[in-house]
Amino acid sequence: MLRGLGTVVALPFLESMVPAMTALAQTPARPPLRFGAVYVPNGCPIPYWMPKEGMPKGEAGPLALTPILQPLESFQRELTVIGQLSRAGGAGVTDHAVSSAGWLTGAVAKQTEAEDIQVGISIDQVLAKAIGQETPFPSLEYATEDFTGYIGGCVPGYSCTYMNTISWGGEAAPLPMEINPRVAFERLFGRAGTPDDRRQRLHEDRSILDSVVEEAGSLQRAVSAPDRSRLDDYLTNVREIERRIGRVEARNSSDLEYAAPVGIPESFEEHMGVMFDLLAIAYQADLTRIFTFMTGREASQRTYPSLNMSQTHHDTSHHGQQPDKMAQHAKINTYFTVLFASFLERLRAAPEGEGSVLDNSLIAYGTGMSDGQAHNSYPLPFALVGGAGGRMRGNRYLIAPEWTSIANVWVSVADMFGTRLETFGESTGRFEI
């Protein structure tokens, strides 16, 4: 840690932290293993996502990238796509609420619009209990849409709670998703304060790192050249994130017509980018090893002017099988994949051990719904990215047996992290990855 006046800044792992002549210094240190999950709402047109079948059922084949996956081309060696997965409940349960609630839990949400919600613990929280206790934050839960106004029943028969999060600490324990980059930043780096305190800081012409700059300088002079470069890059990234958040705050505070809370970017792309940056630096500094990121809420009414589209995301997903409208929906999904690829690039550019942070991570990416037109539960768009510390290889298209529950994948993911689960949600076995 670098300590300043009321501030503590976590550091990435440096070679110089290992005492000379110790066993750890003389043998390769095993970097931490990490898990993340990035959720995209409203499904996607399957022909634009799913590779064509080119091998027998249940076997692996090389991956041919489809339009939505094309932005991940530079990560093909780390990318595995799994076909023929189904969400919890199978064909008999079709709705937005069960899509988000069942993605990481592999369970069916109880049908209720009241407070007696019930679904199941999510796989991220299973892993947080196993490996998250070694870091300051067992897990981080981020999102981009304000869910606070959604209470009661948001879709017929289901509580809004099921659509407000993808992370569950237990059957009736939904975890809140943080959407404000400033709040997320302060939680990571300890610069706490009231909303009034934060507004006052808009007038301060200094960075959070200024209070630790002297100690940082002393450290940089004492470490090796590779560590010095790594430390400089890391601190530069922290300062850049804070600068971007401050710029957004200043712009939002001066725009009386803009109702967004201070610190939340007006641009969706900027909002996604800064939240991804915070997650990347939290991984790099080992502040957490588990995260979930809900890029949008199911039935999201967000529009994407940068794509020259006037319809909302939800309306676009109901394309009526019209080719031009399906292409528009695919355009939104591809946009999300482009933003996700930028995050992956940050992880790959962060050196760790003999590889990168991405090499030691496993990131799940996908949706809890198949084609948004009919709220289908099968087949789910689903991919895994990262080396998982040498446990995963990429450039694969795996075809599961028809209607394989996504819970079967989560059971195998738990195995990869040293957590043996006999069952999870509605699992019927293990789908080996």
Side-chain angles (χ1 to χ4, degrees), residues 169-190:
E171 290 187 351
L175 299 183
M177 315 295 284
E178 180 56 62
I179 68 170
N180 192 316
R182 170 59 72 182
V183 175
F185 186 90
E186 290 176 350
R187 185 182 177 211
L188 292 176
F189 297 107

Side-chain angles (χ1 to χ4, degrees), residues 224-255:
S224 65
D227 278 351
R228 199 155 47 241
S229 176
R230 184 176 301 178
L231 181 60
D232 183 63
D233 288 344
Y234 173 77
L235 296 178
T236 298
N237 287 335
V238 173
R239 191 184 293 274
E240 172 61 16
I241 292 171
E242 190 189 31
R243 186 192 66 78
R244 289 166 58 191
I245 293 172
R247 184 181 63 198
V248 169
E249 288 180 328
R251 183 177 64 217
N252 289 353
S253 296
S254 63
D255 185 359

Side-chain angles (χ1 to χ4, degrees), residues 116-182:
D116 56 332
I117 55 173
Q118 182 178 334
V119 57
I121 188 171
S122 52
I123 190 64
D124 59 297
Q125 292 307 301
V126 171
L127 300 181
K129 293 178 187 299
I131 66 171
Q133 309 309 310
E134 300 176 29
T135 55
F137 302 98
S139 63
L140 295 175
E141 296 76 37
Y142 287 178
T144 64
E145 292 189 84
D146 187 359
F147 308 146
T148 55
Y150 294 95
I151 58 176
C154 282
V155 291
Y158 289 97
S159 168
C160 294
T161 305
Y162 296 129
M163 298 167 65
N164 291 349
T165 185
I166 55 173
S167 184
W168 291 75
E171 290 187 351
L175 299 183
M177 315 295 284
E178 180 56 62
I179 68 170
N180 192 316
R182 170 59 72 182

